[in-house]
Amino acid sequence: MRAFKSIGLFFAVILTCVLLMILCYLLGVKKGFQNGGDQGKVLVQRNAAADQEAEAEKEKETEEKRFASFLDVSSDSGLLRKNTEFVVVEKNLRDGTSGEETLELPSMYVGLDFTGFLEAVEKYNQAPPLSEREKGFSGMEVLRFSRDRVVVQKNYKRADPESGFYLALLDQMVIVLLEDRKTVYMTTDISIQMLPKELARELAGMIYVEDEAALFDFLEAYTS
């Protein structure tokens, strides 16, 4: 009996050791998975940070190239001269068509540097002449700048000559909409205070204008 008890105790000890070894192994494997998961998360975070940094660097490089394209480093001076070539690209935003024309540099731009020219263009965009508004002028942007050659693009939303227009109010100012009543064809400097009360009331519900001739007659009548 004592021999059997000793043998049973021996096997119990061995079984306990085996179970402890298995338990330690399983705990080690689990910890390894956790460590591996944490390392994977860190790797993903590092890769994401690297991608963001690369994207930011790419955008910075693109912006630097864009700015550099305005300047002609071979020129002795960045000031515009009377004989500076002035190229105007006119683009119709409605159908994407465009045309190009080389003109004499307007006198108001002579003597300006890059910054001064940009400021002048911004002022032009804020208060374009009536002749431009009648053509559906949307804005002018600078494509290239040097003392020898300036290229600008004038954008227009040209109307379909067979379609009419709608006069409406926006922030107490008269605007011209295309036939869809949504697309702004033209903004004006005509305020509601400049109009007869009856006309102002009609504009609150929009007024239909059948063609460009009637539109320009209205604009010329009330433009200061």
Side-chain angles (χ1 to χ4, degrees):
M1 285 298 287
R2 289 181 181 179
F4 284 114
K5 288 183 179 179
S6 298
I7 293 172
L9 181 60
F10 174 75
F11 279 108
V13 172
I14 291 178
L15 180 60
T16 302
C17 292
V18 171
L19 291 175
L20 288 174
M21 291 175 63
I22 293 174
L23 180 60
C24 291
Y25 174 77
L26 292 176
L27 291 174
V29 170
K30 181 178 180 181
K31 185 176 181 181
F33 277 125
Q34 290 177 342
N35 291 339
D38 292 339
Q39 291 176 357
K41 290 179 181 178
V42 172
L43 183 59
V44 170
Q45 291 174 351
R46 288 178 178 174
N47 288 340
D51 291 342
Q52 291 178 356
E53 184 177 348
E55 186 65 24
E57 187 66 25
K58 184 178 179 181
E59 291 179 359
K60 180 180 179 182
E61 182 179 350
T62 301
E63 185 64 22
E64 289 177 349
K65 287 182 178 179
R66 178 179 177 275
F67 182 80
S69 67
F70 286 121
L71 306 178
D72 184 355
V73 295
S74 64
S75 300
D76 297 329
S77 171
L79 300 181
L80 298 179
R81 303 170 297 177
K82 185 176 181 180
N83 61 346
T84 297
E85 185 178 4
F86 187 60
V87 180
V88 179
V89 179
E90 293 191 358
K91 184 175 182 179
N92 184 358
L93 299 179
R94 298 199 70 193
D95 57 16
T97 58
S98 62
E100 182 178 304
E101 186 178 10
T102 300
L103 306 172
E104 181 179 343
L105 183 72
S107 58
M108 61 182 177
Y109 298 144
V110 176
L112 297 181
D113 59 7
F114 178 59
T115 301
F117 183 69
L118 288 182
E119 292 176 351
V121 169
E122 182 60 26
K123 290 180 180 179
Y124 189 89
N125 287 335
Q126 292 177 356
L130 177 61
S131 59
E132 288 280 50
R133 297 200 301 269
E134 290 176 346
K135 293 167 60 177
F137 180 78
S138 178
M140 179 167 63
E141 55 186 298
V142 181
L143 301 183
R144 183 167 182 80
F145 178 94
S146 75
R147 74 169 187 175
D148 299 317
R149 188 170 186 264
V150 170
V151 182
V152 299
Q153 177 174 299
K154 290 186 176 182
N155 298 317
Y156 298 90
K157 292 181 180 177
R158 301 194 190 282
D160 183 347
E162 297 181 358
S163 302
F165 305 89
Y166 285 88
L167 298 173
L169 292 175
L170 177 64
D171 296 332
Q172 303 296 306
M173 303 295 291
V174 176
I175 61 171
V176 182
L177 304 176
L178 294 178
E179 66 277 7
D180 61 5
R181 302 191 186 190
K182 297 179 181 179
T183 305
V184 178
Y185 171 64
M186 184 189 308
T187 58
T188 75
D189 55 2
I190 304 173
S191 68
I192 192 173
Q193 290 79 15
M194 300 168 59
L195 304 174
K197 292 182 179 181
E198 182 62 29
L199 180 58
R201 281 195 294 269
E202 292 180 10
L203 282 171
M206 295 190 186
I207 298 177
Y208 178 74
V209 181
E210 60 183 6
D211 54 29
E212 287 186 339
L215 173 64
F216 298 151
D217 286 343
F218 174 88
L219 296 176
E220 291 175 356
Y222 293 101
T223 298
S224 57

